[in-house]
Amino acid sequence: LKRKEWCDVAKELLDGVKILDFTWAIAGSMTTKQFADHGAAVVRIESRTRPDLTRFERLSSGSSENNPDDKPWFCDINSSKYSLTINLKHPGARRVIMRLVDWCDIVAENFTPGTMKKLGYDYETLKAHKPDLIMLSSSVFGQTGPFAETWGIDGTGNALSGRLSASGWPDRAPTLPSASILGDIVQPYVNAAALTAALIARARTGHGQYIDSSMFEILVQHTAPAAIEQAAKGADFARHGNRVAWAAPHGVFPCAGDERWLAIEVTSDDEWRALCAEMGRASLAADPRFITLAQRKANEDALEREVAAWTHTQDPHHAMLKLQTAGVAAGAVQTAADIVDRDPQIGQRGALVTLPHPPLEPFGHQAPPYKFSRTPHTMRTAPNLGEHTRMVCREFLGMPENEIDTLMADGLFV
Amino acid sequence: MGTSAGGFLDGTRVLDLSTAHAYTAGKILASFGADVVKVEPPGGERARTTPPCRDDGDSIYWSHHNAGKRGITLNLERADGAALLKRLAAEADILVESFTPGTLAGLGLDYTALAPVNPRLVFVSITPFGQEGPYSRFKAGELVISAMSGILTLTGDTDRAPVKEALDAHIFHANCAAANAAIMAYHHALRTGEGQHVDVSIQEVGASRNTKSIIGWQFDRRVTARTGNRQVVGQIFGRWIWGLRDGVAFFNLMSGKVGAPSNRALSAWLDEAGLVNPMQGIDWENMSRAAITQTQRDTWDEAIATLFGRYGRDEMRAEATRRGLNVCVANTAAEVLAHPQLLARDYWQGDVASHFVLSTPAANKLARAAAPRPGEHNAEVFSRLGISQAALGALEAQGVV
């Protein structure tokens, strides 16, 4: 490895990695969170005039309309980072930003393509200043091509990739989860993977990299087989509800209680017999409509009625444990309440880390959803807007206090 | 092998023991230039027939998600097969596996067994619920995992059961997360000489999309429900999936400055179309979609639905572009494959999606678009271990490879 400083003992996974973070909105925040929660120094570039979307969307009580520091969603996806506010249009901004470029390994941004060029911080400009810079531009369509400058968000990616058209019941219009996005949460992992791989490449070759990430392209990695299959038939994406070709029953069944459901997947005849036994319906296993997968698929409506007749008296978690013990794949359809208060698996993994964030009550922030045996994550409270401006200038840039005071008085750091 | 510009991970060796929950992690690593060797049982794994399939029976699913890998066969249940795997692991940088926890331990091939052979090894496990804990050995495919992650309860119409979102979204998502975790751990191993075990729970990755409803429960004891073609913002339901004359479109009415240009354009369009316009006279710059009343939102949604329903897909695309309106028409399967944006970015190699990101100077496209045939690379991979052609023939005859 060419870079000596790399070989200093690294206590945390990404000790010593430095990111200048121009990202805003969800996909960008999630990308740099993966680094910050594992020990990298991530400095968010923010301003009071262009605040992050999630600093203002009021989703829960405890959040006010105008305080940028009391939004739990923002806190969740920006844990462990530093915030520096700066007016990028101020004549003194460029000198500070370029010093931060010198300081960092990685610049990350997810503006609409073209924005960084307008600001004068596009890759070509920054690379001329710092040849081994690694830079990520993350967008819905990518930085090149006829649609590069088209605006888009998470749902745009769903519509573009076929994910929207393929979700839901065959006899109804498509649907999507009511409060859970995908593209904005998948793309960050690919972005973070590419950035870390680029650090490895830099250590090997001495070269920096420019990474151009498109949510559309990442989602089509997922939908391509279905697109190929359907297009070959001259058909559009198909919706199959909860059914699949290779298993039956494969569905979501009503349980006792209000809006309680159980998901069951039976992938073999053995599992079908085990399910019948657990349902106390051994005779059903011998029913000629249901013996083989082909028969169960041919009589799937009747099959699902038989299973539902049993589940509707059951508690979903109890039934899940019973079926799993018998070797049948089953899972309670869990709400957020189940996940937060009840699920012993999620609990044991420490998926939520309680952190203080005044004026909010302490609450469970989401941890990175993978565990490293040697270098566990260490999460810190997300930054208030501009909280670390002075600290970053002093500690990371080595600015004397009086210079910081002068720039503050000059209205640069707002 | 190798494209001229190479990839981020040129020279990195990956041993890919994936079953159906873990194909894509290796594909991402391969697209970044790693040499990914997929290990299958002799004859190839059963999942090679996972639907959708071509007319000749070959799985489009399997070949797409295993594209770019080399392939060997090895019977891990035999001691001599396991011994060969250990020798391969000794030279690997990253190992990816997705067996039920405990399976590899039973074969003497878990992280504890391989770490002494190769202390630098990054050993990545991708399983439905993770390596430890009360649910760790549960059986689960996409549907059961999505039930447990909290995503399924959010999806579908209120008058029917919750319904699964498209394909195996959780599994795909978890593989992207796993690829990142693998590379971060590999980066650490290069710096320190220390590998580690990376434990990815697909359920937990799914729950990491669930931020808004988890916040809703923690702060307000509010359970977020499924709402068909609407999304939930705070406590307000707003439509975001719209019917067109011949298709479907996505349009998400956004708050404040971000949404203002589109919302103004929409209001002007309603006027121009001579429709009732409840969106008139709103201060869009300061509108918060979480702070308006449900009644107000419903009147907007009704007007927008009437307007959009008059247009066909291509008309809507043209109008949205002309008016600066952030409506995205859902592509058909054929439109995805022929999308000018993907073609302009040289996305397809044959019918395989060949990159996850574009980059320069590293190319980071798959060096080969084909997925391996069973045992296709046995000779070249095992010869690296010093196993002769004759010895390999003997191993084949014994059912080891």
Side-chain angles (χ1 to χ4, degrees):
Chain A
L1 292 178
K2 292 190 177 173
R3 292 190 161 246
K4 251 190 161 160
E5 71 268 21
W6 260 36
C7 302
D8 298 343
V9 175
K11 275 190 299 231
E12 289 189 72
L13 185 68
L14 295 166
D15 250 358
V17 172
K18 301 187 280 292
I19 301 184
L20 179 57
D21 184 3
F22 285 92
T23 68
W24 73 296
I26 302 131
S29 296
M30 282 292 288
T31 298
T32 54
K33 173 184 165 81
Q34 308 311 315
F35 291 86
D37 286 347
H38 290 105
V42 175
V43 175
R44 284 179 58 87
I45 299 301
E46 300 195 83
S47 83
R48 285 172 203 282
T49 49
R50 273 191 80 108
D52 190 291
L53 191 70
T54 53
R55 280 203 184 273
F56 281 94
E57 193 117 273
R58 190 168 166 254
L59 298 178
S60 60
S61 66
S63 298
S64 65
E65 207 53 43
N66 296 314
N67 181 351
D69 302 325
D70 65 2
K71 305 300 180 297
W73 194 13
F74 176 88
C75 298
D76 227 313
I77 61 183
N78 288 288
S79 53
S80 315
K81 303 178 192 175
Y82 304 111
S83 170
L84 178 144
T85 46
I86 186 166
N87 175 6
L88 290 176
K89 292 184 178 140
H90 190 289
R94 169 157 302 266
R95 207 173 64 87
V96 174
I97 294 293
M98 293 316 260
R99 286 177 71 172
L100 282 163
V101 171
D102 286 331
W103 163 81
C104 75
D105 302 292
I106 289 169
V107 168
E109 64 95 7
N110 69 328
F111 293 118
T112 305
T115 307
M116 286 298 267
K117 185 151 184 98
K118 279 180 215 150
L119 292 169
Y121 300 123
D122 58 305
Y123 177 64
E124 290 309 318
T125 305
L126 298 184
K127 185 189 171 195
H129 182 79
K130 182 188 174 91
D132 68 349
L133 178 70
I134 293 166
M135 180 163 170
L136 167 76
S137 290
S138 177
S139 66
V140 172
F141 288 90
Q143 303 295 311
T144 62
F147 287 76
E149 298 195 7
T150 307
W151 192 89
I153 55 173
D154 178 86
T156 317
N158 290 325
L160 290 171
S161 64
R163 181 176 136 70
L164 170 59
S165 297
S167 293
W169 301 104
D171 61 333
R172 290 205 177 161
T175 187
L176 285 173
S178 59
S180 168
I181 50 189
L182 182 73
D184 270 345
I185 313 290
V186 170
Q187 187 176 20
Y189 293 124
V190 176
N191 290 348
L195 285 169
T196 312
L199 286 170
I200 292 169
R202 189 186 66 175
R204 191 179 68 241
T205 66
H207 296 306
Q209 302 282 342
Y210 180 60
I211 299 163
D212 166 5
S213 168
S214 151
M215 185 198 293
F216 182 16
E217 291 177 343
I218 291 165
L219 291 179
V220 175
Q221 286 280 355
H222 183 220
T223 59
I228 292 163
E229 175 200 27
Q230 295 300 107
K233 293 193 285 195
D236 195 2
F237 289 103
R239 290 181 290 283
H240 301 289
N242 289 323
R243 294 180 179 179
V244 295
W246 60 87
H250 189 280
V252 179
F253 300 93
C255 292
D258 181 35
E259 276 294 325
R260 299 304 334 210
W261 304 86
L262 180 70
I264 299 174
E265 302 168 344
V266 171
T267 56
S268 71
D269 299 341
D270 283 345
E271 289 172 4
W272 169 240
R273 287 189 287 273
L275 174 61
C276 291
E278 293 306 312
M279 294 194 298
R281 299 280 308 280
S283 62
L284 204 58
D287 188 319
R289 294 174 300 166
F290 305 134
I291 293 168
T292 65
L293 173 63
Q295 288 162 339
R296 291 192 297 279
K297 284 300 291 178
N299 299 294
E300 202 160 4
D301 288 342
L303 176 74
E304 291 180 354
R305 280 194 298 274
E306 296 287 359
V307 177
W310 174 70
T311 55
H312 93 270
T313 62
Q314 304 294 309
D315 169 81
H317 284 91
H318 182 254
M320 166 181 81
L321 294 173
K322 190 172 151 82
L323 294 185
Q324 287 282 1
T325 304
V328 176
V333 176
Q334 301 205 108
T335 64
D338 294 320
I339 304 247
V340 174
D341 295 339
R342 174 170 193 165
D343 186 323
Q345 185 69 23
I346 283 279
Q348 180 168 334
R349 285 184 66 85
L352 295 173
V353 175
T354 300
L355 296 173
H357 192 99
L360 297 170
E361 291 295 312
F363 72 99
H365 293 54
Q366 289 183 323
Y370 29 70
K371 292 169 89 74
F372 295 99
S373 61
R374 200 183 283 278
T375 53
H377 55 70
T378 48
M379 288 167 64
R380 286 180 289 109
T381 299
N384 289 337
L385 188 59
E387 179 180 344
H388 303 99
T389 303
R390 185 173 284 275
M391 186 284 286
V392 167
C393 289
R394 190 181 56 232
E395 305 289 327
F396 296 172
L397 301 185
M399 262 188 211
E401 290 285 352
N402 59 357
E403 185 184 350
I404 301 171
D405 291 339
T406 307
L407 294 172
M408 288 246 173
D410 201 26
L412 175 62
F413 296 122
V414 293
Chain B
M1 296 197 60
T3 51
S4 55
F8 295 143
L9 299 181
D10 275 359
T12 303
R13 287 178 181 175
V14 179
L15 211 45
D16 183 342
L17 272 59
S18 59
T19 59
H21 285 346
Y23 296 150
T24 306
K27 186 182 179 188
I28 295 171
L29 298 171
S31 82
F32 288 173
D35 174 19
V36 180
V37 174
K38 183 165 169 68
V39 182
E40 295 179 81
E45 63 174 329
R46 270 176 52 196
R48 281 180 170 268
T49 59
T50 303
C53 295
R54 295 180 202 287
D55 293 341
D56 62 9
D58 279 356
S59 165
I60 304 170
Y61 179 92
W62 194 92
S63 58
H64 192 268
H65 294 303
N66 286 295
K69 304 176 184 178
R70 297 198 289 164
I72 63 169
T73 51
L74 198 51
N75 185 346
L76 303 180
E77 292 174 5
R78 290 186 48 145
D80 35 8
L84 283 171
L85 189 89
K86 262 193 174 174
R87 290 175 62 188
L88 290 168
E91 298 188 349
D93 299 298
I94 298 169
L95 182 150
V96 178
E97 66 93 11
S98 55
F99 293 105
T100 303
T103 307
L104 285 179
L107 303 172
L109 295 172
D110 61 342
Y111 179 64
T112 311
L114 295 184
V117 178
N118 178 359
R120 297 175 300 108
L121 183 66
V122 171
F123 187 107
V124 183
S125 298
I126 306 172
T127 55
F129 300 100
Q131 294 297 298
E132 290 173 2
Y135 300 165
S136 60
R137 299 194 182 194
F138 277 13
K139 275 189 191 172
E142 174 69 23
L143 182 68
V144 166
I145 300 169
S146 72
M148 298 292 285
S149 75
I151 302 297
L152 187 56
T153 193
L154 302 174
T155 317
D157 299 327
T158 48
D159 64 337
R160 286 191 187 172
V163 67
K164 193 171 76 67
E165 55 188 342
L167 312 171
D168 50 358
H170 281 68
I171 290 169
F172 178 74
H173 189 192
N175 274 262
C176 295
N180 175 47
I183 295 168
M184 284 185 166
Y186 175 45
H187 175 267
H188 188 262
L190 287 171
R191 295 166 81 186
T192 62
E194 291 180 335
Q196 56 185 319
H197 190 186
V198 181
D199 171 9
V200 183
S201 152
I202 306 174
Q203 178 203 22
E204 193 182 356
V205 173
S208 78
R209 290 167 57 196
N210 220 347
T211 316
K212 285 202 248 180
S213 57
I214 285 176
I215 288 168
W217 177 252
Q218 291 193 90
F219 282 87
D220 297 323
R221 290 289 177 257
R222 186 173 70 236
V223 172
T224 309
R226 62 193 184 282
T227 52
N229 55 24
R230 303 195 291 177
Q231 71 160 332
V232 184
V233 183
Q235 308 203 49
I236 300 297
F237 301 135
R239 190 157 174 185
W240 62 351
I241 302 166
W242 310 86
L244 303 177
R245 230 176 37 230
D246 58 354
V248 173
F250 174 83
F251 169 71
N252 186 6
L253 192 142
M254 307 279 283
S255 302
K257 284 180 186 167
V258 174
S262 212
N263 297 340
R264 270 196 296 271
L266 195 50
S267 176
W269 193 6
L270 283 168
D271 286 337
E272 203 181 306
L275 291 170
V276 176
N277 183 6
M279 300 180 76
Q280 252 167 6
I282 309 285
D283 173 12
W284 294 112
E285 305 279 336
N286 292 303
M287 190 279 296
S288 164
R289 59 187 180 169
I292 59 173
T293 66
Q294 186 65 54
T295 311
Q296 181 165 31
R297 180 63 198 247
D298 289 346
T299 60
W300 296 355
D301 285 354
E302 200 182 318
I304 298 167
T306 307
L307 179 70
F308 286 4
R310 292 178 168 187
Y311 292 86
R313 298 149 39 73
D314 287 337
E315 294 164 347
M316 179 56 86
R317 287 187 174 112
E319 289 292 337
T321 305
R322 190 164 74 80
R323 295 171 184 275
L325 190 59
N326 301 322
V327 176
C328 184
V329 174
N331 285 321
T332 63
E335 284 169 348
V336 169
L337 299 181
H339 200 284
Q341 180 68 4
L342 300 181
L343 299 182
R345 289 164 63 85
D346 197 19
Y347 183 69
W348 301 103
Q349 278 187 56
D351 54 9
V352 169
S354 74
H355 64 255
F356 285 78
V357 296
L358 285 180
S359 52
T360 178
N364 292 317
K365 284 175 175 285
L366 294 178
R368 56 199 294 273
R373 297 186 305 276
E376 181 178 346
H377 302 94
N378 280 351
E380 58 191 66
V381 171
F382 288 116
S383 73
R384 208 170 68 200
L385 296 182
I387 293 170
S388 68
Q389 201 64 36
L392 187 61
L395 289 167
E396 269 171 26
Q398 294 159 24
V400 178
V401 307

